[in-house]
Amino acid sequence: MELTNKLKQLIEEIEKLPSIGPKTAERIALYLLSQDEREFNALINSIVEARKNLHLCPICFNLTDREVCEICSNPDRDSSIICVVEEVDDLLAIEKTGVYKGVYHVLHGDIDPINHRGPENIKLKELLERVNSLSVKEVILATNPDFNGDITATYIAKLIKSVRMNLRITRIAVGLPKEAEIGFADTVTLSTAIKERKEYR
Amino acid sequence: MELTNKLKQLIEEIEKLPSIGPKTAERIALYLLSQDEREFNALINSIVEARKNLHLCPICFNLTDREVCEICSNPDRDSSIICVVEEVDDLLAIEKTGVYKGVYHVLHGDIDPINHRGPENIKLKELLERVNSLSVKEVILATNPDFNGDITATYIAKLIKSVRMNLRITRIAVGLPKEAEIGFADTVTLSTAIKERKEYR
């Protein structure tokens, strides 16, 4: 059977969503068509409402429905430490750990030399402006521990050093994940874990 | 950070979609919020359009935007063979093989004794009406080869026999998937494959 155009088009649109393969897209499309009116409207409304109400925080570029986001406007957060992440979901993941009490800066991307995405395509100018304030004492670079993330972190570190030489700049630790078995670890992670080994104190 | 309510609500709605876990829901939500206006509208429009235009074929209960679906209205399809499936995506999967030239009947569910879903909850009455026509020569039961699917197939087979004793009723073959390695096959599949073995001819 040739799929009707409307259905084919819907499946193609759903396939553009992140982490969605063709089979899942098909299943979601058929599910959307079979939902009752109330459930369907609840989904569509919450998408449209979220689009309408959420915007980027003018300080850290986190998503928020307030003028300034929950973290930047929270007096209990330490605004002298800025954790730099690539995307909002990285921020959410770090927040879930509950161990970090500083503030954030969301770059909304990374430097990707292969795809010609440069420093001007991420929120880097804005980070430099924040770092220029003397109240900032540390910048934690929490970009992904992959090729682009490493390049982005190195680039940002150099740039900040050129503006405020003595500012503390750190990078999140890379190594074996907790509960990992060494025999099953991939070579890159394992060799990094060896190189980044720490002294017993 | 407490997620803003609108974002939390959106993630929860997306998590209700089939095959979507919490992490994927979060990623899709953030993606929907970051899409540019044009892409976003294309997705929402194709969902709303599909809902508006697609309905169930009155003969086989396939999804269609015509009065009668593409398969039922195609004179090249053999309407004397009816393949009975649980859901529209099963029909789509069989169509993709290209080997089947008969027509379908979509039950929209299975008989599920544990969850008290009985024969009255699926399109069974409608199947019986179709089977009553003498032009039907064979019914292929292509419900899933699992507990509910087997029960559903057995129930339908008995019901049809009670109405048209000599009608040919078949069940799709169950056995090892192509390219499978016997050493890695699960016990149930393997024992079925042995029981269902066929003579060399």
Short mmCIF file of all heavy atoms in Angstrom, two decimals, chain A residues 38-88:
data_model
loop_
_atom_site.label_atom_id
_atom_site.label_comp_id
_atom_site.label_asym_id
_atom_site.label_seq_id
_atom_site.Cartn_x
_atom_site.Cartn_y
_atom_site.Cartn_z
N ARG A 38 -9.58 14.36 24.00
CA ARG A 38 -9.11 15.03 25.21
C ARG A 38 -7.59 14.86 25.37
O ARG A 38 -6.86 15.84 25.58
CB ARG A 38 -9.83 14.43 26.42
CG ARG A 38 -10.00 15.35 27.61
CD ARG A 38 -10.80 14.65 28.71
NE ARG A 38 -10.28 13.29 28.94
CZ ARG A 38 -9.20 13.01 29.67
NH1 ARG A 38 -8.52 13.98 30.24
NH2 ARG A 38 -8.79 11.77 29.84
N GLU A 39 -7.11 13.62 25.25
CA GLU A 39 -5.67 13.35 25.37
C GLU A 39 -4.90 14.08 24.29
O GLU A 39 -3.84 14.65 24.53
CB GLU A 39 -5.40 11.85 25.22
CG GLU A 39 -5.83 10.99 26.39
CD GLU A 39 -5.80 9.53 26.02
OE1 GLU A 39 -5.86 9.20 24.82
OE2 GLU A 39 -5.74 8.70 26.94
N PHE A 40 -5.45 14.04 23.07
CA PHE A 40 -4.76 14.67 21.95
C PHE A 40 -4.62 16.17 22.19
O PHE A 40 -3.54 16.74 22.04
CB PHE A 40 -5.55 14.41 20.65
CG PHE A 40 -4.95 15.07 19.45
CD1 PHE A 40 -3.79 14.57 18.88
CD2 PHE A 40 -5.53 16.20 18.90
CE1 PHE A 40 -3.22 15.19 17.77
CE2 PHE A 40 -4.97 16.82 17.79
CZ PHE A 40 -3.81 16.31 17.23
N ASN A 41 -5.70 16.81 22.63
CA ASN A 41 -5.65 18.25 22.87
C ASN A 41 -4.70 18.61 24.00
O ASN A 41 -4.02 19.63 23.94
CB ASN A 41 -7.05 18.79 23.15
CG ASN A 41 -7.92 18.78 21.90
OD1 ASN A 41 -7.38 18.77 20.78
ND2 ASN A 41 -9.22 18.76 22.07
N ALA A 42 -4.63 17.75 25.03
CA ALA A 42 -3.72 17.99 26.15
C ALA A 42 -2.28 18.06 25.64
O ALA A 42 -1.50 18.94 26.03
CB ALA A 42 -3.87 16.90 27.21
N LEU A 43 -1.92 17.13 24.76
CA LEU A 43 -0.56 17.11 24.21
C LEU A 43 -0.27 18.36 23.38
O LEU A 43 0.71 19.07 23.61
CB LEU A 43 -0.34 15.85 23.35
CG LEU A 43 0.98 15.80 22.57
CD1 LEU A 43 2.17 15.70 23.51
CD2 LEU A 43 1.00 14.63 21.61
N ILE A 44 -1.16 18.63 22.42
CA ILE A 44 -0.94 19.77 21.52
C ILE A 44 -0.91 21.08 22.33
O ILE A 44 -0.04 21.92 22.11
CB ILE A 44 -2.04 19.82 20.44
CG1 ILE A 44 -1.96 18.59 19.53
CG2 ILE A 44 -1.95 21.10 19.60
CD1 ILE A 44 -0.70 18.48 18.71
N ASN A 45 -1.83 21.21 23.28
CA ASN A 45 -1.85 22.43 24.09
C ASN A 45 -0.57 22.63 24.87
O ASN A 45 -0.04 23.73 24.94
CB ASN A 45 -3.02 22.42 25.08
CG ASN A 45 -4.31 22.74 24.37
OD1 ASN A 45 -4.30 23.27 23.26
ND2 ASN A 45 -5.43 22.39 24.99
N SER A 46 -0.06 21.54 25.46
CA SER A 46 1.12 21.75 26.29
C SER A 46 2.34 22.07 25.42
O SER A 46 3.24 22.79 25.86
CB SER A 46 1.36 20.59 27.25
OG SER A 46 1.81 19.47 26.57
N ILE A 47 2.37 21.58 24.18
CA ILE A 47 3.46 21.98 23.28
C ILE A 47 3.35 23.47 22.94
O ILE A 47 4.29 24.24 23.07
CB ILE A 47 3.45 21.15 21.97
CG1 ILE A 47 3.70 19.66 22.25
CG2 ILE A 47 4.51 21.67 21.00
CD1 ILE A 47 3.59 18.77 21.02
N VAL A 48 2.15 23.86 22.52
CA VAL A 48 1.96 25.24 22.08
C VAL A 48 2.14 26.22 23.25
O VAL A 48 2.80 27.26 23.11
CB VAL A 48 0.56 25.40 21.43
CG1 VAL A 48 0.25 26.85 21.14
CG2 VAL A 48 0.49 24.57 20.14
N GLU A 49 1.60 25.86 24.43
CA GLU A 49 1.75 26.69 25.62
C GLU A 49 3.22 26.88 25.99
O GLU A 49 3.66 27.98 26.31
CB GLU A 49 1.03 26.04 26.82
CG GLU A 49 -0.46 26.30 26.83
CD GLU A 49 -0.77 27.77 27.06
OE1 GLU A 49 -0.43 28.29 28.13
OE2 GLU A 49 -1.33 28.40 26.13
N ALA A 50 3.96 25.76 25.97
CA ALA A 50 5.38 25.83 26.35
C ALA A 50 6.14 26.74 25.38
O ALA A 50 6.95 27.57 25.78
CB ALA A 50 5.99 24.44 26.38
N ARG A 51 5.85 26.59 24.06
CA ARG A 51 6.50 27.46 23.06
C ARG A 51 6.20 28.93 23.36
O ARG A 51 7.04 29.80 23.17
CB ARG A 51 5.96 27.15 21.65
CG ARG A 51 6.54 25.95 20.97
CD ARG A 51 7.88 26.24 20.35
NE ARG A 51 7.82 27.13 19.20
CZ ARG A 51 8.78 27.23 18.29
NH1 ARG A 51 9.86 26.49 18.38
NH2 ARG A 51 8.68 28.08 17.30
N LYS A 52 4.95 29.19 23.74
CA LYS A 52 4.51 30.57 23.91
C LYS A 52 5.14 31.18 25.16
O LYS A 52 5.53 32.35 25.16
CB LYS A 52 2.98 30.61 24.01
CG LYS A 52 2.34 31.88 23.49
CD LYS A 52 0.83 31.75 23.35
CE LYS A 52 0.14 31.45 24.66
NZ LYS A 52 -1.27 31.08 24.49
N ASN A 53 5.26 30.39 26.23
CA ASN A 53 5.62 30.96 27.53
C ASN A 53 7.10 30.88 27.88
O ASN A 53 7.57 31.61 28.73
CB ASN A 53 4.82 30.28 28.63
CG ASN A 53 3.36 30.67 28.58
OD1 ASN A 53 3.03 31.80 28.89
ND2 ASN A 53 2.52 29.77 28.13
N LEU A 54 7.81 29.93 27.26
CA LEU A 54 9.20 29.77 27.65
C LEU A 54 10.12 30.56 26.72
O LEU A 54 9.89 30.64 25.51
CB LEU A 54 9.59 28.29 27.62
CG LEU A 54 8.85 27.40 28.62
CD1 LEU A 54 9.24 25.94 28.44
CD2 LEU A 54 9.11 27.83 30.05
N HIS A 55 11.14 31.16 27.30
CA HIS A 55 12.13 31.89 26.52
C HIS A 55 13.47 31.71 27.21
O HIS A 55 13.55 31.11 28.29
CB HIS A 55 11.75 33.37 26.42
CG HIS A 55 11.64 34.01 27.75
ND1 HIS A 55 10.45 34.11 28.44
CD2 HIS A 55 12.57 34.51 28.59
CE1 HIS A 55 10.66 34.67 29.61
NE2 HIS A 55 11.94 34.93 29.73
N LEU A 56 14.54 32.24 26.62
CA LEU A 56 15.86 32.07 27.22
C LEU A 56 16.11 33.15 28.27
O LEU A 56 15.78 34.32 28.06
CB LEU A 56 16.93 32.14 26.13
CG LEU A 56 16.84 31.08 25.03
CD1 LEU A 56 18.00 31.21 24.06
CD2 LEU A 56 16.80 29.67 25.62
N CYS A 57 16.68 32.74 29.39
CA CYS A 57 17.09 33.68 30.44
C CYS A 57 18.14 34.64 29.85
O CYS A 57 19.09 34.19 29.21
CB CYS A 57 17.68 32.89 31.60
SG CYS A 57 18.50 33.92 32.83
N PRO A 58 17.98 35.95 30.04
CA PRO A 58 18.90 36.91 29.42
C PRO A 58 20.31 36.84 30.03
O PRO A 58 21.25 37.35 29.44
CB PRO A 58 18.25 38.27 29.70
CG PRO A 58 17.37 38.03 30.89
CD PRO A 58 16.91 36.62 30.80
N ILE A 59 20.45 36.21 31.20
CA ILE A 59 21.78 36.11 31.83
C ILE A 59 22.49 34.82 31.39
O ILE A 59 23.57 34.86 30.82
CB ILE A 59 21.67 36.15 33.37
CG1 ILE A 59 21.01 37.48 33.80
CG2 ILE A 59 23.04 35.98 34.02
CD1 ILE A 59 20.70 37.57 35.28
N CYS A 60 21.84 33.65 31.61
CA CYS A 60 22.55 32.37 31.41
C CYS A 60 22.05 31.58 30.20
O CYS A 60 22.60 30.55 29.86
CB CYS A 60 22.45 31.52 32.67
SG CYS A 60 20.81 30.80 32.90
N PHE A 61 20.93 32.01 29.58
CA PHE A 61 20.36 31.35 28.41
C PHE A 61 19.73 29.99 28.68
O PHE A 61 19.56 29.18 27.79
CB PHE A 61 21.36 31.30 27.25
CG PHE A 61 21.86 32.66 26.89
CD1 PHE A 61 23.10 33.11 27.32
CD2 PHE A 61 21.06 33.52 26.17
CE1 PHE A 61 23.54 34.39 27.03
CE2 PHE A 61 21.49 34.80 25.87
CZ PHE A 61 22.74 35.24 26.29
N ASN A 62 19.39 29.77 29.95
CA ASN A 62 18.56 28.64 30.33
C ASN A 62 17.12 28.94 29.89
O ASN A 62 16.76 30.09 29.67
CB ASN A 62 18.63 28.49 31.86
CG ASN A 62 17.77 27.37 32.40
OD1 ASN A 62 17.41 26.45 31.65
ND2 ASN A 62 17.45 27.44 33.68
N LEU A 63 16.30 27.90 29.73
CA LEU A 63 14.89 28.11 29.41
C LEU A 63 14.12 28.52 30.66
O LEU A 63 14.30 27.92 31.71
CB LEU A 63 14.27 26.82 28.90
CG LEU A 63 14.37 26.51 27.41
CD1 LEU A 63 13.88 25.10 27.17
CD2 LEU A 63 13.57 27.51 26.59
N THR A 64 13.23 29.47 30.55
CA THR A 64 12.46 29.90 31.72
C THR A 64 11.16 30.56 31.30
O THR A 64 11.02 31.01 30.16
CB THR A 64 13.29 30.88 32.58
OG1 THR A 64 12.54 31.20 33.75
CG2 THR A 64 13.62 32.16 31.82
N ASP A 65 10.18 30.60 32.23
CA ASP A 65 8.98 31.38 31.96
C ASP A 65 8.98 32.66 32.81
O ASP A 65 8.00 33.39 32.83
CB ASP A 65 7.70 30.56 32.17
CG ASP A 65 7.62 29.95 33.56
OD1 ASP A 65 8.52 30.19 34.38
OD2 ASP A 65 6.66 29.20 33.81
N ARG A 66 10.10 32.91 33.55
CA ARG A 66 10.23 34.17 34.28
C ARG A 66 11.11 35.13 33.48
O ARG A 66 11.73 34.74 32.51
CB ARG A 66 10.92 33.94 35.62
CG ARG A 66 10.28 32.86 36.45
CD ARG A 66 10.91 32.89 37.81
NE ARG A 66 10.54 31.73 38.59
CZ ARG A 66 10.96 31.53 39.81
NH1 ARG A 66 11.76 32.41 40.39
NH2 ARG A 66 10.59 30.45 40.49
N GLU A 67 11.23 36.34 34.00
CA GLU A 67 12.08 37.31 33.32
C GLU A 67 13.53 36.80 33.36
O GLU A 67 14.20 36.66 32.34
CB GLU A 67 11.96 38.68 33.99
CG GLU A 67 12.41 39.82 33.10
CD GLU A 67 12.19 41.16 33.79
OE1 GLU A 67 11.26 41.27 34.62
OE2 GLU A 67 12.94 42.09 33.48
N VAL A 68 13.99 36.50 34.58
CA VAL A 68 15.31 35.90 34.79
C VAL A 68 15.07 34.51 35.37
O VAL A 68 14.16 34.32 36.17
CB VAL A 68 16.14 36.76 35.77
CG1 VAL A 68 17.36 36.02 36.27
CG2 VAL A 68 16.52 38.08 35.11
N CYS A 69 15.88 33.51 34.98
CA CYS A 69 15.54 32.12 35.31
C CYS A 69 15.62 31.83 36.81
O CYS A 69 16.20 32.60 37.58
CB CYS A 69 16.41 31.14 34.54
SG CYS A 69 18.01 30.81 35.29
N GLU A 70 15.06 30.68 37.21
CA GLU A 70 14.99 30.25 38.61
C GLU A 70 16.37 30.20 39.26
O GLU A 70 16.51 30.44 40.46
CB GLU A 70 14.37 28.84 38.70
CG GLU A 70 12.89 28.78 38.38
CD GLU A 70 12.60 28.82 36.89
OE1 GLU A 70 13.52 29.08 36.08
OE2 GLU A 70 11.46 28.59 36.51
N ILE A 71 17.38 29.83 38.48
CA ILE A 71 18.72 29.67 39.07
C ILE A 71 19.38 31.03 39.24
O ILE A 71 19.86 31.37 40.31
CB ILE A 71 19.58 28.73 38.20
CG1 ILE A 71 18.94 27.35 38.16
CG2 ILE A 71 21.00 28.65 38.74
CD1 ILE A 71 19.60 26.37 37.22
N CYS A 72 19.38 31.84 38.18
CA CYS A 72 20.03 33.15 38.26
C CYS A 72 19.37 34.05 39.31
O CYS A 72 20.02 34.89 39.92
CB CYS A 72 19.99 33.85 36.91
SG CYS A 72 21.09 33.10 35.69
N SER A 73 18.05 33.86 39.53
CA SER A 73 17.35 34.74 40.47
C SER A 73 17.32 34.17 41.89
O SER A 73 16.73 34.76 42.78
CB SER A 73 15.94 35.02 39.97
OG SER A 73 15.23 33.81 39.84
N ASN A 74 17.95 33.01 42.09
CA ASN A 74 17.93 32.37 43.41
C ASN A 74 19.12 32.87 44.25
O ASN A 74 20.27 32.61 43.91
CB ASN A 74 18.02 30.85 43.23
CG ASN A 74 17.96 30.10 44.54
OD1 ASN A 74 18.11 30.68 45.62
ND2 ASN A 74 17.76 28.80 44.45
N PRO A 75 18.84 33.59 45.37
CA PRO A 75 19.94 34.18 46.17
C PRO A 75 20.81 33.11 46.83
O PRO A 75 21.93 33.41 47.25
CB PRO A 75 19.20 35.01 47.21
CG PRO A 75 17.82 34.45 47.27
CD PRO A 75 17.52 33.88 45.93
N ASP A 76 20.31 31.86 46.93
CA ASP A 76 21.10 30.80 47.55
C ASP A 76 22.14 30.21 46.60
O ASP A 76 22.99 29.41 47.00
CB ASP A 76 20.19 29.67 48.03
CG ASP A 76 19.28 30.14 49.15
OD1 ASP A 76 19.65 31.13 49.82
OD2 ASP A 76 18.21 29.53 49.34
N ARG A 77 22.06 30.54 45.31
CA ARG A 77 23.04 30.00 44.37
C ARG A 77 24.26 30.92 44.35
O ARG A 77 24.13 32.14 44.40
CB ARG A 77 22.44 29.91 42.94
CG ARG A 77 21.16 29.09 42.82
CD ARG A 77 21.34 27.61 43.06
NE ARG A 77 22.20 26.97 42.10
CZ ARG A 77 21.87 25.87 41.42
NH1 ARG A 77 20.68 25.30 41.58
NH2 ARG A 77 22.73 25.32 40.60
N ASP A 78 25.43 30.30 44.23
CA ASP A 78 26.69 31.03 44.26
C ASP A 78 27.01 31.57 42.85
O ASP A 78 27.49 30.84 41.99
CB ASP A 78 27.80 30.09 44.74
CG ASP A 78 29.14 30.79 44.84
OD1 ASP A 78 29.24 31.97 44.42
OD2 ASP A 78 30.08 30.16 45.34
N SER A 79 26.77 32.88 42.68
CA SER A 79 26.95 33.44 41.33
C SER A 79 28.42 33.74 41.00
O SER A 79 28.73 34.25 39.94
CB SER A 79 26.10 34.71 41.18
OG SER A 79 26.53 35.66 42.12
N SER A 80 29.33 33.35 41.91
CA SER A 80 30.74 33.55 41.60
C SER A 80 31.33 32.36 40.84
O SER A 80 32.45 32.40 40.37
CB SER A 80 31.54 33.81 42.89
OG SER A 80 31.66 32.62 43.64
N ILE A 81 30.56 31.27 40.74
CA ILE A 81 31.00 30.11 39.96
C ILE A 81 30.05 29.91 38.79
O ILE A 81 28.84 29.77 38.97
CB ILE A 81 30.98 28.81 40.80
CG1 ILE A 81 31.71 29.03 42.14
CG2 ILE A 81 31.63 27.66 40.03
CD1 ILE A 81 31.69 27.79 43.03
N ILE A 82 30.58 29.90 37.57
CA ILE A 82 29.75 29.71 36.38
C ILE A 82 30.11 28.37 35.73
O ILE A 82 31.26 28.14 35.38
CB ILE A 82 29.96 30.83 35.35
CG1 ILE A 82 29.60 32.19 35.97
CG2 ILE A 82 29.13 30.57 34.09
CD1 ILE A 82 29.82 33.36 35.01
N CYS A 83 29.12 27.50 35.60
CA CYS A 83 29.34 26.22 34.92
C CYS A 83 28.86 26.36 33.48
O CYS A 83 27.68 26.64 33.22
CB CYS A 83 28.56 25.13 35.64
SG CYS A 83 28.67 23.54 34.84
N VAL A 84 29.77 26.16 32.52
CA VAL A 84 29.45 26.36 31.11
C VAL A 84 29.05 25.03 30.49
O VAL A 84 29.81 24.06 30.52
CB VAL A 84 30.67 26.93 30.36
CG1 VAL A 84 30.37 27.10 28.88
CG2 VAL A 84 31.10 28.25 30.99
N VAL A 85 27.82 24.94 29.94
CA VAL A 85 27.35 23.71 29.30
C VAL A 85 26.93 24.00 27.86
O VAL A 85 26.74 25.16 27.49
CB VAL A 85 26.15 23.09 30.06
CG1 VAL A 85 26.56 22.60 31.44
CG2 VAL A 85 25.00 24.09 30.16
N GLU A 86 26.84 22.92 27.07
CA GLU A 86 26.47 23.10 25.66
C GLU A 86 24.97 23.36 25.48
O GLU A 86 24.57 24.24 24.73
CB GLU A 86 26.88 21.87 24.84
CG GLU A 86 28.40 21.69 24.77
CD GLU A 86 28.81 20.46 23.97
OE1 GLU A 86 27.99 19.94 23.20
OE2 GLU A 86 29.96 20.02 24.13
N GLU A 87 24.15 22.54 26.19
CA GLU A 87 22.71 22.61 25.95
C GLU A 87 21.94 22.63 27.27
O GLU A 87 22.47 22.25 28.31
CB GLU A 87 22.22 21.40 25.13
CG GLU A 87 22.92 21.22 23.79
CD GLU A 87 22.54 22.28 22.76
OE1 GLU A 87 21.63 23.09 23.02
OE2 GLU A 87 23.17 22.30 21.69
N VAL A 88 20.65 23.00 27.18
CA VAL A 88 19.80 23.05 28.38
C VAL A 88 19.69 21.67 29.03
O VAL A 88 19.65 21.57 30.26
CB VAL A 88 18.40 23.60 28.03
CG1 VAL A 88 17.47 23.52 29.24
CG2 VAL A 88 18.49 25.04 27.55
#
